[in-house]
Amino acid sequence: MTATPDLAAAPAATSELLRSVFRRHAAGVAVITAAGERPVGFTATSLNSVAAEPPLVSFGIGTSSSSWPVLAEAGHVGVHILGEHQRELAATFARSGADRFGPSTEWRPGPEGVPLLGGVPAWLVCRVVARVPAGDHVIVIAEAVAGDPSGEGRPLVYHQGRFTALRD
């Protein structure tokens, strides 16, 4: 049996503590996209299923993100579940200043003009229903309006600061 943690001896809750704790949390990897003057997108590990009726998802985005100005106004977003074969795609959409929709990225305009990425195991197009301020981020809540879960591949996960595959 493990002893109860001593709160008096615990490190103060800081942004670095939060990062250190969540490095131990394995999270699925998604890319969120939206249409603007140019398409935008970013890698997200904060994607959550919120409700089945209506079908709602949520994700967080930093207000300093280059994608935020478009996401702040977007009526619809694309949610793409990445497969273990898409580590480089995840890295591209996570990298600041990267040409995310350049020649190496397979994509097409989807419902509501939302950029849809190719080769993903599953995707949704969602209507944004709420934006909730949360510190230096905004939590976006969106209702699924279209999607396809029929792609191939095992999920990509983020753990200990890197993209990796699940082990059996």
Side-chain angles (χ1 to χ4, degrees), residues 99-149:
D99 185 5
R100 297 172 180 157
F101 291 91
S104 64
T105 302
E106 179 190 341
W107 70 280
R108 64 180 169 79
E112 304 295 336
V114 171
L116 292 181
L117 301 177
V120 297
W123 60 266
L124 294 168
V125 170
C126 302
R127 180 179 59 84
V128 174
V129 297
R131 293 176 180 88
V132 181
D136 61 355
H137 280 62
V138 171
I139 306 302
V140 177
I141 301 171
E143 181 177 1
V145 296
D148 184 356

